[in-house]
């Protein structure tokens, strides 16, 4: 089993296996908004907009491409690219706008696929038809934010949709043979270890293609910041986070590609925990624990149906 040697099925290896070359993501900012932040809405309680690491919204997509391509090509001259639209909700616009932006990004040299970050409640029927069209033209991935399968948590974090809506969209995307990646957050207020493990088991049942596991961090000027400063909840330590991630990996379907194991924000925006900026230490900690325990992704995976 491949995961016994590399501990978990990471994105780099997936791309190498699929495309036979180095593949890097270019993070585009399409200037999209989010229904959860409009009309005075604050969005999810942890949300900063997630545009810190994307291209500058004041620049054209072509300019964003050129800026990032130079950096990547200096490291890997033969690299190919995935156009990644991850800031806010990237299907929250008329399909005509989506078509213009996404097809432009796909027209750039060495772009071999597109990854679109969005919400389960922001894919209209017209948009879905366009996604099906894209899926026939290129390697398409739809990334859906979920964070937790527990409706009480979704309500508390002001997610704006429930698990049922999410499940329906995942099943619809999978029926259309579209690659689905799901974002979750460990350490959300009032969630137990068992609840976080239940989220993984549920995603296994949905037969998703990829997962991004993030640690909860508190950013400035968010609702979560006030709750944290008021002492309403506690954050996990780095060791606690590493331990839960390893347990999640052990029950995760070994066919699911692990796209991320940490979440991060700009240092100037971070309130806590300070270890959230130690990405390399977190990743090394996960591998070190799995190695020590002679464990790996899927070691305890069981099909429920």
């Amino acid at each position: 089993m491949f995961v016994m040697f590399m501990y978990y099925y990471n994105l780099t290896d997936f791309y190498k296996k699929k495309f036979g070359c180095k593949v890097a993501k270019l993070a585009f900012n399409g200037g999209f908004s989010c229904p959860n932040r409009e009309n005075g809405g604050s969005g999810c309680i942890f949300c900063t907009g997630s545009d810190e690491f994307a291209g500058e919204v004041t620049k054209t997509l072509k300019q964003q491409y050129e800026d990032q391509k130079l950096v990547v090509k200096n490291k890997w001259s033969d690299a190919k690219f995935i156009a990644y639209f991850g800031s806010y909700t990237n299907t929250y616009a008329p399909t005509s706008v989506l078509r213009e932006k996404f097809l432009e990004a796909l027209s750039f040299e060495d772009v071999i696929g597109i990854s679109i970050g969005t919400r389960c409640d922001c894919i209209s029927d017209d948009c879905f038809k366009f996604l099906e069209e894209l899926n026939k033209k290129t390697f398409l991935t739809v990334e859906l934010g979920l964070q937790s399968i527990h409706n009480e948590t979704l309500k508390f974090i002001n997610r704006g949709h429930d698990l049922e809506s999410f499940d329906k969209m995942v099943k619809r995307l999978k029926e259309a043979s579209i690659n689905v990646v799901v974002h979750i957050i460990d350490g959300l207020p009032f969630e137990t270890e068992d609840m976080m493990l239940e989220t993984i088991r549920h995603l296994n049942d949905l037969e998703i293609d990829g997962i991004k596991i993030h640690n909860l961090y508190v950013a400035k000027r968010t609702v979560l910041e006030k709750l944290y400063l008021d002492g309403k909840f506690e954050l996990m330590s780095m060791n606690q986070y590493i331990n839960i991630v390893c347990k999640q990996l052990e029950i995760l379907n070994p066919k699911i590609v692990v796209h991320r194991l940490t979440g991060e924000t700009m240092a100037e925006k971070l309130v806590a925990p300070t270890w959230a900026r130690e990405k390399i230490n977190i990743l090394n900690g996960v591998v070190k624990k799995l190695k020590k325990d002679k464990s790996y992704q899927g070691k305890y995976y069981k099909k429920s149906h």
Side-chain angles (χ1 to χ4, degrees):
M1 185 180 295
F2 56 83
V3 289
M4 288 193 69
F5 299 101
M6 59 189 206
Y7 302 107
Y8 60 90
Y9 191 9
N10 64 70
L11 184 60
T12 299
D13 289 323
F14 168 74
Y15 281 154
K16 184 76 173 180
K17 181 180 178 181
K18 183 171 182 62
F19 298 108
C21 63
K22 175 64 182 180
V23 177
K25 280 187 174 181
L26 302 183
F28 290 94
N29 193 326
F32 296 103
S33 183
C34 174
N36 215 12
R37 297 176 67 91
E38 294 203 337
N39 302 315
S42 59
C44 298
I45 63 173
F46 52 78
C47 185
T48 63
S50 67
D51 60 354
E52 300 103 310
F53 303 105
E56 295 180 35
V57 70
T58 56
K59 294 186 176 182
T60 66
L61 294 183
K62 181 66 171 177
Q63 289 171 325
Q64 293 180 44
Y65 165 77
E66 294 292 347
D67 289 346
Q68 297 180 70
K69 180 186 75 170
L70 286 175
V71 176
V72 175
K73 289 290 189 179
N74 281 336
K75 292 179 69 176
W76 304 291
S77 60
D78 61 344
K80 304 296 183 183
F81 306 119
I82 298 292
Y84 175 49
F85 287 81
S87 298
Y88 293 102
T89 304
N90 293 269
T91 57
Y92 189 54
T95 304
S96 58
V97 174
L98 305 180
R99 180 180 296 275
E100 178 184 353
K101 290 181 183 291
F102 296 160
L103 292 183
E104 180 185 359
L106 284 168
S107 74
F108 300 148
E109 184 181 8
D110 289 330
V111 172
I112 57 175
I114 187 168
S115 187
I116 301 168
T118 188
R119 300 163 51 96
C120 65
D121 54 349
C122 284
I123 301 178
S124 66
D125 288 343
D126 193 44
C127 174
F128 195 91
K129 290 178 183 177
F130 175 53
L131 293 178
E132 289 182 300
E133 179 186 326
L134 273 182
N135 197 44
K136 293 174 183 177
K137 292 182 176 180
T138 190
F139 178 65
L140 168 67
T141 299
V142 173
E143 299 195 17
L144 295 177
L146 172 63
Q147 320 319 343
S148 169
I149 66 163
H150 303 285
N151 281 328
E152 62 267 37
T153 299
L154 297 180
K155 185 175 181 180
F156 179 81
I157 66 176
N158 195 37
R159 186 64 197 160
H161 63 75
D162 60 12
L163 180 63
E164 182 181 8
S165 300
F166 173 84
D167 285 356
K168 286 180 178 178
M169 181 51 66
V170 171
K171 290 174 182 176
R172 189 178 179 191
L173 290 165
K174 292 298 298 173
E175 286 171 358
S177 300
I178 293 174
N179 195 275
V180 177
V181 173
V182 177
H183 297 217
I184 66 170
I185 297 177
D186 286 341
L188 288 167
F190 317 121
E191 286 219 342
T192 64
E193 180 179 289
D194 285 344
M195 293 171 73
M196 290 178 252
L197 294 176
E198 286 168 9
T199 290
I200 297 296
R201 294 189 184 98
H202 185 82
L203 295 178
N204 281 339
D205 291 344
L206 290 179
E207 299 182 342
I208 64 171
D209 300 282
I211 190 168
K212 287 186 174 181
I213 304 175
H214 301 84
N215 49 290
L216 182 69
Y217 59 79
V218 179
K220 294 177 181 177
R221 294 180 291 279
T222 61
V223 175
L224 192 66
E225 179 187 20
K226 184 177 189 312
L227 293 173
Y228 176 71
L229 295 178
D230 287 346
K232 301 297 184 182
F233 70 97
E234 294 183 0
L235 291 164
M236 288 190 293
S237 68
M238 184 191 291
N239 283 338
Q240 287 174 319
Y241 180 69
I242 288 171
N243 287 339
I244 186 62
V245 166
C246 288
K247 289 182 180 181
Q248 289 175 316
L249 290 173
E250 288 175 333
I251 64 172
L252 183 68
N253 185 336
K255 294 182 179 179
I256 294 175
V257 181
V258 179
H259 287 234
R260 287 184 67 91
L261 287 178
T262 65
E264 56 186 324
T265 189
M266 298 289 192
E268 60 270 21
K269 290 187 177 182
L270 183 65
V271 175
T274 55
W275 60 262
R277 295 291 301 165
E278 300 177 37
K279 180 178 180 180
I280 298 301
N281 289 337
I282 297 168
L283 297 178
N284 287 343
V286 169
V287 170
K288 183 177 179 181
K289 178 165 176 55
L290 290 174
K291 184 177 181 180
K292 177 185 176 183
D293 296 343
K294 297 181 180 179
S295 196
Y296 49 87
Q297 178 182 341
K299 183 177 183 179
Y300 301 121
Y301 165 67
K302 293 181 181 179
K303 267 192 172 184
S304 65
H305 63 276

